[in-house]
Amino acid sequence: MKINNLHYTVLTTDTDELKTNAILKEQLDALYSRIYTLTITSCVLAILVYYLLIDYARYPKLAFAGLVSTTLIYLIRSWDCYLFHHRKENNYHYWLKRFSLLTYITSFTWSALLIGISSQNDNQMLATLILSGVAMSAVSVLSYRKEIIYIFLTLLFIPLLGMLYFIQEALSLTLQVFIILFYLFLINQARILYKNFTECIKGQIKTQEQTNSLQNLKHAIDQHSIISITDLKGNIIDVNDSFINISKYSRDELIGKNHKLLKSGFHSHSFFSDMWSTIANGKVWHGEIKNKAKDGSYYWVASAIVPQINKNGKPAQYISIRTDITELKHLESQRYIEHQHASIRASISQTLQQETPLKKRFAKALALLCQFNGLDVQQKAGIFLKQGDELHLFATYGNFSNEFIIKEECIKVGDCLCGKVAANGLLKISNDCFTDHEHEHTFKNMTDHGHYIVPLNYANKVLGILFLYTDPYPSREATRLTTLSDIAHMMALAITNKQTQQKLLAEKISADKANRAKSEFLSSMSHELRTPLNAILGFAQLLEYDDINPLSDDQQESLGYILSSGKHLLALIDQVLELSAIEAGKTKLSIEAIQLRDVMNESLSLLLPLAEKADTKLNTLSGANFILKADYTKTKQIILNLVSNAIKYNRKNGSVDIDWKIMPNHLLRISITDSGIGISDKNKGKIFNAFQRLGQESSGIEGTGIGLVVTKELVELMDGYIGFNSIEGQGSTFWFELPIKVTDVTDVTDVTDVTDVTAMRKAGAPNYKKILYVEDNPVNRHLMTSFFAQLKHYTLQMVETGELGRQKALDQDFDLILMDINLPGIDGKGLTRELRKTDNYKHKPIIAVSAAAMPHDIASAEGLFDYYLTKPIQLTELQEILKQYLD
């Protein structure tokens, strides 16, 4: 508020100062304008007074000095007047001071002249008259500045009266009264003259300001507005330049003419009736009018028609003030058109994205195009699809004759209008079918028409043609052509998507077929390889554990080669199948919360025999338990792969340290550090490549070169990370990270010490358990007979078909059934389903024993068997299963 007040004060002060300067300028102009005349009259008067009264003068020398000084000061004032009129700067206060000083000096020179010529009493009246004349002259000249006249009269009278007083010259009473009254009269008249002059000047300034303001306002309005004045009938009385410029008529062509001259025909009769009714009643009318210029062009104006009311309260004439809104109207029209075109593009886009056949989508899109008013097309349109060097009619809308359908069903690229557009890929507008030489095809009852022919382009390829029928000479307006091009692009995209879908579908069918063939091949090869391996490894294990007929040392060594080679081959088969499943994306994970201690204990218990055999010490360094978010089986497989590698590639009497710690982002890093041979720098980049032994192929250390590849894939499938650090000759640290469930960390008080794992394997077996083995392969039956012959407390019965197995199982009560899957007649899974329906075998253990070891084979038996044992059978594993389910 204070700022606003200060601003107002400054503005007011500035305004007052401007007015004061204007008044001062007028005063100085008036004062200086009479100096030349005053100089002449005053000099003549002074000379006459001097020569008329010098003979009677009391002080002749003073009178002469007064004459000279008076004449000289008036000449100086004339020169000052000349300088004032030729000034370069308008410092009016400075010139006022100059004028005042010279005026005061003039009063002194006149006083000196009058005192010098004063004489005896009989001349007092003459001196008084002269004094009166000088005083009146001064009042008339100096009244434009009252303070100057006050001082001038005072300086003029007081010296003369003082002189009379000092020489003791008595004035008559009448003369004394006259002088006093005359002095007061002069002062009052000077005040009145000054007031009238000042008021007059102020009025002139105000009038000038208003005139200037009105002229500026008129100029501003003329620059912006289109103005006309008409009589009561609408005849034009006057117009401004803006009206002339926009109407293209000259002033002479407009004056006297009626406003109907500009009528465009756009507005209705009622529109103008309402307008005239409004202004005829003395009210202001506002509205927008479309007018027609002299050259036939149209323009829009926003108008305000103001009636001028006469003294009788009736309109005398009308003043129309308008603003050109042609461009605004054009933009509004353009926006409306753009909105329409955007709407049709959106509608067609939605139509083309529907989950319906492409032909049906195109038919709907053609219908939308033909019904869209913004294109001004006829109710006929169609689409060709390009196949090789031919165009095939794919979809139409509207009434087409059979002749057209037959002739246009297939046309060559390069023929007629559509063929030529397909060849060059450019939009074509045909004005008239009868005059366009490229319109080669004609049909019975064909009428005049034009065409929009638009290529369906995508990725610089013409996929088809969109053609629309129009009236002759269709519009070439840019918005229409852009919309048609955009819609054609959408259609081309729909064609591309359809072709891509068909291609992807064909590729998927081919890939599925290849995957099925691959799976069938791998399943068959797995079964065919595992079946002989089962006999090789099975009987080799029987020989190894035969205490009745022990082998010689050479035989034991040979047997060791058989077992190690067989196990190596089995590991290779398993890892190849695992890698194949991962690459095919068929590895199924069961991500759940698992206890680290559980998976670690189970893994270490399986690894201890390998560590003991290699004279390698296993050390667990961490004492904390965590809950992992992972697949239990896959996590165990990762640990087994990494720790077994650390044992195999270690040095004699080496060590393997297993540790784990929390990492950022809720990950647990499990590290396996060995004191082995390490990895060279040149081989570090190959460590996770398939079938890479890194120079250990001839070292005697068993390996397939696939284990780390499978391990890495499994870790990453569970959203984890894997890596390693290694120094050649000093050892390696392999680590992997898996997500953990955020929970409290507990001490691993029940993590099994790896040195006590051996004790876990010394469990006894239950007595006299009856076992049924359903197997059609005689070699496998012989192997199982030899195996159970070495065990106590078990009785084994065998059958070779599913039907015999069903009869045997129902006739007797078995504690456990070993079930082959691929059986003649009813297979193992079918037989197991039947047995599960009986009360006797609903909950008894039935173990699958099969060479069908593919993931999908095992998955298909999930929930049916208590355990799935794959061939070749590890007899120690089978023995553990018997203990687990029969203890």
Side-chain angles (χ1 to χ4, degrees), residues 583-714:
E583 290 176 346
K586 294 184 178 180
T587 299
K588 293 184 179 179
L589 298 177
S590 177
I591 303 298
E592 56 188 349
I594 62 173
Q595 295 282 346
L596 175 63
R597 65 182 174 215
D598 293 341
V599 68
M600 191 62 70
N601 283 343
E602 184 176 350
S603 301
L604 295 180
S605 67
L606 296 173
L607 290 164
L608 186 59
L610 179 63
E612 291 173 345
K613 186 177 180 180
D615 293 327
T616 301
K617 185 178 180 180
L618 299 181
N619 302 310
T620 54
L621 304 181
S622 179
N625 183 36
F626 295 93
I627 299 177
L628 298 174
K629 293 191 291 185
D631 183 289
Y632 185 93
T633 302
K634 303 303 181 186
T635 305
K636 183 176 73 172
Q637 184 178 347
I638 293 167
I639 296 173
L640 290 174
N641 283 346
L642 294 178
V643 178
S644 63
N645 280 350
I647 294 171
K648 288 190 297 181
Y649 295 100
N650 216 314
R651 63 182 75 252
K652 190 172 182 64
N653 297 320
S655 64
V656 176
D657 296 332
I658 305 162
D659 194 12
W660 51 87
K661 63 180 179 179
I662 291 181
M663 302 297 289
N665 300 323
H666 305 300
L667 294 172
L668 182 71
R669 174 176 287 192
I670 301 172
S671 303
I672 297 95
T673 303
D674 65 63
S675 57
I677 60 177
I679 304 168
S680 65
D681 290 339
K682 69 177 182 179
N683 286 327
K684 287 181 179 178
K686 308 174 184 177
I687 197 70
F688 291 112
N689 293 345
F691 302 107
Q692 285 289 342
R693 294 294 313 281
L694 305 181
Q696 299 299 317
E697 293 86 355
S698 59
S699 65
I701 301 174
E702 294 182 357
T704 62
I706 304 177
L708 282 177
V709 181
V710 173
T711 300
K712 181 176 183 294
E713 295 288 347
L714 292 176

